[in-house]
Amino acid sequence: MQRTPLRTLCADLPTATPGSTVRLQGWVHRRRELSAVTFLVVRDRSGLAQVVVREGSVPPEETTVEVVGTATANAQAPGGVEVTDPVITPLTEPAATPPIELWRPTVNVGLPTLLDHAPVTWRHPAQRARWELAAASLRGFRATLDRLGFTEIQTPKFVASATESGANVFEVDYFGRPAYLAQSPQFYKQQLVGVFERVYEVGPVFRAEPHDTVRHLAEYVSLDAELGFIQDHRDVLRVLRDVVAGMTDAVHEHAAGAVALTGAQVPVVPDEIPVLHFRDALALVGAPEDEPDLAPEHERALGEWALETHGSDFVAVEGYPMAKRPFYTHPQPDDDRWSNSFDLLFRGLELVTGGQRLHTPSSYRAAIRARGEDPAAYASYLQAFEHGMPPHGGFAIGLERWTARLTGVANIREVTLFPRDLHRLTP
Amino acid sequence: MQRTPLRTLCADLPTATPGSTVRLQGWVHRRRELSAVTFLVVRDRSGLAQVVVREGSVPPEETTVEVVGTATANAQAPGGVEVTDPVITPLTEPAATPPIELWRPTVNVGLPTLLDHAPVTWRHPAQRARWELAAASLRGFRATLDRLGFTEIQTPKFVASATESGANVFEVDYFGRPAYLAQSPQFYKQQLVGVFERVYEVGPVFRAEPHDTVRHLAEYVSLDAELGFIQDHRDVLRVLRDVVAGMTDAVHEHAAGAVALTGAQVPVVPDEIPVLHFRDALALVGAPEDEPDLAPEHERALGEWALETHGSDFVAVEGYPMAKRPFYTHPQPDDDRWSNSFDLLFRGLELVTGGQRLHTPSSYRAAIRARGEDPAAYASYLQAFEHGMPPHGGFAIGLERWTARLTGVANIREVTLFPRDLHRLTP
């Protein structure tokens, strides 16, 4: 008999040779004490395994343990193999009783409990699976863009002016003077199109949102991409289509178990995403033609239209009124009331905003003056344009919104590891 | 003749069929005007291509252009193929003269010029190559840890107390109350070991460093990993070894051109990194045995020792005195003056700090009290330990320090896209 066999992950126990000695390491997921025997369920990163304990005690739930015992076939056990004759060694002190019963099949607690005890509640397999969808999506995002010749960038989160960052910014004491936290890497990813042509960044962005809603966070993870030498925003939308398809592929490839556990409805991304002009979208939903934006009920109606007409969970609305878009937005060439920008709706909710940007220095100066500002305030940003930029555009996907839509949770906080908002700064 | 052929990247021009029409898009890298002809060098993300212009003018350097012309074999041209009979269409207004001559083979300007004009100076192929090494390293970091069963995490950068973040923290006005920017994801990555066992994060960290040195930044990119169910810090070091090897592999695979352009000395990572105990390291360099830390000259001497004795660019020093390590550090089991932690030296400079952490709740309470603090101040963090944590440890690699050592630059700012420090908040 091997005295200290290599660790066997719970998920691999069914492949262990019956009669061989195995070593499990994990958490006491559940104890079920019967009269003559205790069933111990061990949980590790791969799954669960059953241990049959006939003598001695089992530490309380969530205590970490090492179990050395015999792999034994038992058709009643999960996976057909359990561990018998175990020697159980606690790896820490007996754990305190968890704030929620982690062994129950569903996470059945209110949001405050879920969030206040996040370090523990994320251990619930169904809760953990939500983040596994997020992590797999990140892999798919990067893998797709790597394949398409994009370069990953990491841009500064400290910026010099509130202007650079937009409204609702957080102010920082930066060595005795004010600085601000970036609301997006927008200005930097554009400047770096001038260097690498195609760039992406995954990182935190900061918004001092005074809104206490189920969709807003003070800090979230933004998946940004920007590319040069485009014809117009339709080229951007094509890359976005490939990125979202790559994210769903990665979810299936790397997180199939999490899909099953969460019941996530992973969409099929059509080869071409249906596109409606903003003007036509208003007409379709019966809104007045001078509406400057789509209301939530309009977005829902468009989502239903896309599903019925195109069998698509996605629809892009292009041509949003220039008045509602940021100053760097490229106008629609034949009618500058409209813009070369789009929103991508996923199941009737806005998931991504993207579009073509201005790229000539004179158009930037004019756009900045048009909002009553001095181009000199943007001197650092405008350097890139004065020194030659290509037609370009890009998009940003909010990671938490994406995962929330995949899983259908009511509140974005349910898919955020440690959410930050108007009220919450811990844990 | 095809009227609008697909774009050909400069690097692919040598494979174009001679006589075919090609379409290049890029920047005017250089114009060389001779009496009868102008040579235009176009730069795109893939490289350079030569265009022979016999009539008409060429826009100034850095203007973005589209060139449609005939692929023509010419043994004198780079890659053996050039473009003749071009139609050149500017894609923006004529570019202003760049602050540095981007077409010269080396970046030959002082640091202030390099940094003040970063959006343009990063366009220099030799400068851009430095970041390409960084980007490839990030791919290698993630690919290795994905393969080893790690889960990517994204943890909050807003933290509730300066305690949580350490010394030299940035304070933020968080909806009218103070918050702080995380100096590292340390507390969060540990808590998430309780969920996923093995986690990594790539993201910004913030340090209000009052030091104006060539090695310190106020914001840098930290490559963090943490794993559970370890025996001790040696298990952490083995994972770190694989990660660094994965980073060098990725540099060779994805950034071979950048290695050539920068002259980067990419190390060979030994199968096993040589390890010295801190006590023996002091003796080896002839330092007094009660020295609490290694001085830079000691680190250099150890680097030389590793190279001479083991042929290794790397050496790990383990067992650093507990007094010099953070409170969550695990002591050496047989002598608690020393710790189960290490520094990894790369060419005689500290690159990574890592080690085993405490994991029982009682050891945390004792360690926090020993520094004269109240464990209640750490309640949120300590939840994870009270509810069962495995023996665990991890490490953090500073991306910019890694790239600086690869390229041998004198100042870490030379490999940072938009550095932030005591004095610099733009561009």
Side-chain angles (χ1 to χ4, degrees), chain A residues 239-256:
Chain A
V239 170
L240 172 58
R241 183 264 154 212
D242 288 351
V243 163
V244 176
M247 290 166 74
T248 61
D249 288 349
V251 163
H252 289 301
E253 184 179 349
H254 305 300

Side-chain angles (χ1 to χ4, degrees), chain A residues 13-326:
Chain A
L13 184 60
T15 66
T17 309
S20 67
T21 301
V22 293
R23 187 159 68 103
L24 304 179
Q25 293 181 319
W27 286 261
V28 175
H29 187 60
R30 195 182 180 191
R31 300 173 293 181
R32 278 196 302 135
E33 299 183 356
L34 307 184
S35 57
V37 67
T38 297
F39 290 102
L40 157 62
V41 179
V42 173
R43 182 187 76 240
D44 69 13
R45 71 176 188 269
S46 73
L48 306 173
Q50 180 169 292
V51 179
V52 183
V53 187
R54 297 198 176 271
E55 55 189 43
S57 65
V58 174
E61 273 80 8
E62 292 310 300
T63 307
T64 49
V65 291
E66 173 167 292
V67 177
V68 177
T70 306
T72 304
N74 175 358
Q76 309 302 312
V81 177
E82 62 191 8
V83 176
T84 58
D85 298 320
V87 175
I88 300 171
T89 310
L91 299 175
T92 185
E93 295 149 8
T97 304
I100 69 171
E101 290 179 311
L102 294 166
W103 52 268
R104 289 201 183 274
T106 56
V107 183
N108 196 13
V109 292
L111 193 62
T113 300
L114 191 77
L115 303 184
D116 289 345
H117 301 281
V120 184
T121 55
W122 274 107
R123 296 183 187 180
H124 191 292
Q127 180 65 11
R128 186 180 62 190
R130 290 174 172 168
W131 181 260
E132 288 168 348
L133 298 175
S137 300
L138 291 174
R139 285 178 76 169
F141 177 82
R142 295 194 192 94
T144 306
L145 292 170
D146 286 341
R147 185 171 52 75
L148 295 175
F150 283 68
T151 299
E152 178 175 357
I153 56 173
Q154 297 275 341
T155 67
K157 304 310 159 204
F158 286 129
V159 295
S161 73
T163 289
E164 192 173 337
S165 201
N168 296 337
V169 294
F170 287 106
E171 185 174 323
V172 188
D173 173 4
Y174 191 82
F175 301 112
R177 56 187 161 136
Y180 304 89
L181 293 177
Q183 281 211 326
S184 98
Q186 180 64 34
F187 282 18
Y188 289 99
K189 68 177 180 172
Q190 287 186 268
Q191 294 173 53
L192 291 169
V193 162
V195 177
F196 302 105
E197 284 190 29
R198 309 183 140 207
V199 297
Y200 70 84
E201 177 164 8
V202 172
V205 297
F206 306 94
R207 308 213 167 178
E209 286 285 354
H211 309 298
D212 187 16
T213 82
V214 298
R215 297 182 71 187
H216 289 94
L217 295 169
E219 177 182 349
Y220 68 87
V221 179
S222 184
L223 283 58
D224 271 272
E226 196 83 9
L227 62 149
F229 299 106
I230 60 171
Q231 190 66 38
D232 59 25
H233 60 291
R234 290 288 188 103
D235 285 341
V236 177
L237 184 59
R238 272 184 280 274
V239 170
L240 172 58
R241 183 264 154 212
D242 288 351
V243 163
V244 176
M247 290 166 74
T248 61
D249 288 349
V251 163
H252 289 301
E253 184 179 349
H254 305 300
V259 172
L261 261 176
T262 56
Q265 300 293 317
V266 184
V268 174
V269 184
D271 289 345
E272 199 160 332
I273 289 175
V275 182
L276 273 175
H277 194 279
F278 183 80
R279 191 182 42 214
D280 303 327
L282 286 182
L284 192 72
V285 300
E289 65 180 20
D290 59 350
E291 279 284 312
D293 210 345
L294 293 172
E297 64 268 27
H298 298 151
E299 296 188 344
R300 275 195 297 277
L302 292 169
E304 285 164 22
W305 172 85
L307 194 59
E308 285 164 18
T309 315
H310 294 275
S312 170
D313 279 327
F314 298 92
V315 56
V317 179
E318 67 180 2
Y320 275 78
M322 279 297 282
K324 295 296 284 185
R325 293 307 227 196

